[in-house]
Amino acid sequence: MDRRKGRAVVVGGSIAGLSCAHALIAAGWEVVVLEKTCAPPKGSPTGAGLGLDPQSQLFLHSWLASPDLLHTSTIPLEIDQNQVTDSEKKISWTLTRDESFNFRAAHWSELHSLLYKSLPSNVVLWGHQFLSFQTSHDRASVRAEAKVLQTDEVVEIVGNLLIAADGCLSAIRQHFLPHLKLRYSGYAAWRGVLDFSGNENSDTITGLRRVYPDLGKCLYFDLATGTHSVLYELQNQRINWIWYISQPELELKGNSVTMKVSNAMIQKMHEEAEMVWVPELAQVIKETKEPFINVIYDCDPLENLFWDNVVLIGDAAHPTSPHGVRSTNMSIVDAGTLGQCLERWGLNELGSALEEYQSIRLPVVSKQVLHSRRMGRIKQGLDLHDRKVFDPMMATLEECEELQQRKMPFFGYAPSPSD
């Protein structure tokens, strides 16, 4: 088997791209990551929380400089609880509760920092905006062009493999699938992180812990009629919240599904929160600085995850709605699986490695994307062709069981090349 060292060019320096860098370096490859932002984030004003499943945790442990780093930078999510709020009476009760959830809660910017600081210093090229790529006639190499934003110089980077980790609006995916459009879910999400450090004994936090007594170890899904929210605690005294609101599709600007918001929009959102949620949750929402809007999209499963020596991973491969807590986890497992396949086959059998990666990951992510879509529509009280609209106020036990995260296909473990 050929053991020449391959070279990969990764487009996108978010968690998916950095995970790819780790996985491929572990497989014996050289890696260059092109990232258009000019420096590592020092904290993200629109960053938010995410949940890491056990399989992702295993990959992260293997990549980080110290196995304790992940544990000390996250907190446990041991419980997955769905509950309903009566907006008129301002009372809540449990619909379903899973006490063996075994996820961990992280902040985006802190997980990103852990991954970046554990990489060699020369791997990520900051301030390099990807422009285009071209595959050689013999399909043995690919040349990427990027603009150095500080100088406007256009540079070429050549590798054996181009990895598209450039997100749900991927320019590389669009090259191969120019007519593919993302699918608007019918709702958008207000979200934010409340930093209560120094105010842990305030009326707001005391009241919130009284109403949500398992904060610090529980992922709460709170359902009201025609809407739902997510709530959980992050390390260093922060509360992460998300609130999904059905509405016509918003107009996006730039290459992002995140929108800036006006003071008038925030004020209206605060007023609506008081009408829908218990006062304790509404107060947390009102005290959060710089809340923002994510417009929720996904995409029907693709038929391919690679073309010649160009491969998609993360949101570029499977834009997904957030209700199955899958996006980051799929990105990490994509990267880990790709690395394992490349190590298994070697550079001389690159095509076989990519075929195996696709054969392993495509069935998994396809089912998870569609299940996540279904969970979102159920919890948001939207139509589904095979069931009546879910009413959390009148739900049966059987209907409530469908809300659990462990109903996600491949919830416990997704296949790997060694299986």
Side-chain angles (χ1 to χ4, degrees):
M1 184 179 294
D2 184 0
R3 285 301 173 188
R4 290 178 299 148
K5 181 171 283 192
R7 189 169 196 250
V9 181
V10 180
V11 177
S14 191
I15 288 173
L18 297 189
S19 295
C20 263
H22 278 284
L24 268 66
I25 289 171
W29 279 57
E30 295 179 359
V31 180
V32 175
V33 178
L34 305 178
E35 170 51 45
K36 65 182 178 181
T37 57
C38 292
K42 295 180 180 179
S44 178
T46 58
L50 47 89
L52 299 171
D53 69 21
Q55 192 169 14
S56 293
Q57 293 173 45
L58 288 174
F59 277 119
L60 291 167
H61 279 303
S62 72
W63 297 334
L64 298 178
S66 166
D68 295 330
L69 282 174
L70 184 65
H71 187 82
T72 57
S73 302
T74 60
I75 66 173
L77 285 178
E78 301 170 351
I79 304 167
D80 167 34
Q81 178 163 312
N82 288 271
Q83 61 185 48
V84 58
T85 291
D86 185 321
S87 298
E88 293 184 3
K89 297 179 180 179
K90 303 301 183 192
I91 58 173
S92 303
W93 61 93
T94 300
L95 297 175
T96 180
R97 180 178 170 93
D98 177 3
E99 296 190 359
S100 57
F101 191 45
N102 295 328
F103 276 46
R104 293 194 74 84
H107 192 280
W108 181 92
S109 63
E110 291 170 2
L111 180 59
H112 186 276
S113 179
L114 287 179
L115 286 167
Y116 174 61
K117 290 179 179 178
S118 294
L119 284 172
S121 59
N122 61 344
V123 167
V124 182
L125 301 182
W126 299 103
H128 282 61
Q129 183 176 9
F130 170 77
L131 298 176
S132 64
F133 72 93
Q134 185 173 349
T135 304
S136 64
H137 291 300
D138 62 2
R139 309 302 185 192
S141 65
V142 61
R143 184 179 73 249
E145 287 192 346
K147 182 168 72 173
V148 183
L149 296 181
Q150 192 170 13
T151 64
D152 283 339
E153 177 188 8
V154 175
V155 297
E156 292 184 352
I157 302 97
V158 178
N160 307 104
L161 177 66
L162 181 70
I163 301 176
D166 52 343
C168 65
L169 299 174
S170 170
I172 296 173
R173 185 186 68 229
Q174 187 177 22
H175 173 87
F176 295 105
L177 302 170
H179 302 297
L180 180 72
K181 302 295 182 185
L182 296 184
R183 172 193 165 277
Y184 177 54
S185 65
Y187 48 91
W190 278 96
R191 61 189 309 177
V193 176
L194 174 65
D195 184 340
F196 62 93
S197 54
N199 296 305
E200 56 268 25
N201 296 319
S202 67
D203 290 344
T204 298
I205 299 304
T206 301
L208 189 71
R209 293 199 185 282
R210 182 179 64 252
V211 176
Y212 297 89
D214 289 315
L215 270 176
K217 61 179 181 180
C218 183
L219 174 64
Y220 283 100
F221 284 86
D222 209 336
L223 286 69
T225 301
T227 189
H228 71 292
S229 65
V230 180
L231 183 74
Y232 57 95
E233 190 169 349
L234 298 171
Q235 196 184 46
N236 298 324
Q237 299 178 319
R238 289 166 296 177
I239 299 294
N240 183 82
W241 60 269
I242 311 169
W243 178 18
Y244 299 98
I245 298 177
S246 298
Q247 59 187 50
E249 184 175 0
L250 299 168
E251 183 179 353
L252 295 173
K253 295 182 179 179
N255 192 36
S256 175
V257 295
T258 298
M259 285 188 58
K260 291 184 177 181
V261 295
S262 66
N263 289 334
M265 293 169 69
I266 294 172
Q267 179 60 37
K268 181 181 178 183
M269 183 267 291
H270 288 170
E271 293 169 359
E272 292 175 349
E274 289 182 338
M275 291 188 292
V276 174
W277 303 116
V278 295
E280 293 82 359
L281 176 55
Q283 189 62 32
V284 166
I285 292 173
K286 290 170 67 176
E287 291 185 14
T288 300
K289 297 178 181 178
E290 300 182 358
F292 61 99
I293 292 178
N294 271 156
V295 185
I296 308 301
Y297 293 92
D298 68 8
C299 179
D300 289 339
L302 305 184
E303 294 182 2
N304 296 83
L305 297 182
F306 79 97
W307 292 263
D308 294 323
N309 50 350
V310 180
V311 63
L312 309 180
I313 74 113
D315 289 342
H318 38 71
T320 186
S321 58
H323 312 283
V325 199
R326 284 292 101 198
S327 177
T328 299
N329 290 301
M330 285 195 285
S331 297
I332 293 169
V333 179
D334 282 352
T337 303
L338 178 60
Q340 290 172 339
C341 291
L342 292 172
E343 183 176 22
R344 174 185 173 99
W345 287 94
L347 177 59
N348 200 43
E349 296 290 342
L350 178 59
S352 297
L354 298 181
E355 286 280 5
E356 183 175 41
Y357 163 74
Q358 178 172 279
S359 70
I360 291 170
R361 292 301 294 159
L362 190 56
V364 173
V365 299
S366 298
K367 290 181 180 180
Q368 291 185 336
V369 165
L370 295 178
H371 187 81
S372 226
R373 177 188 297 181
R374 180 179 179 85
M375 289 179 72
R377 295 191 68 82
I378 291 173
K379 292 184 177 185
Q380 196 64 9
L382 298 174
D383 289 333
L384 285 165
H385 72 278
D386 61 343
R387 60 165 298 159
K388 65 181 182 180
V389 171
F390 182 76
D391 180 358
M393 303 288 290
M394 304 293 292
T396 66
L397 179 61
E398 183 179 4
E399 289 175 323
C400 292
E401 288 295 312
E402 194 173 359
L403 305 176
Q404 290 189 342
Q405 289 296 314
R406 67 173 52 257
K407 299 296 183 180
M408 173 65 66
F410 304 98
F411 173 80
Y413 185 78
S416 70
S418 59
D419 294 341

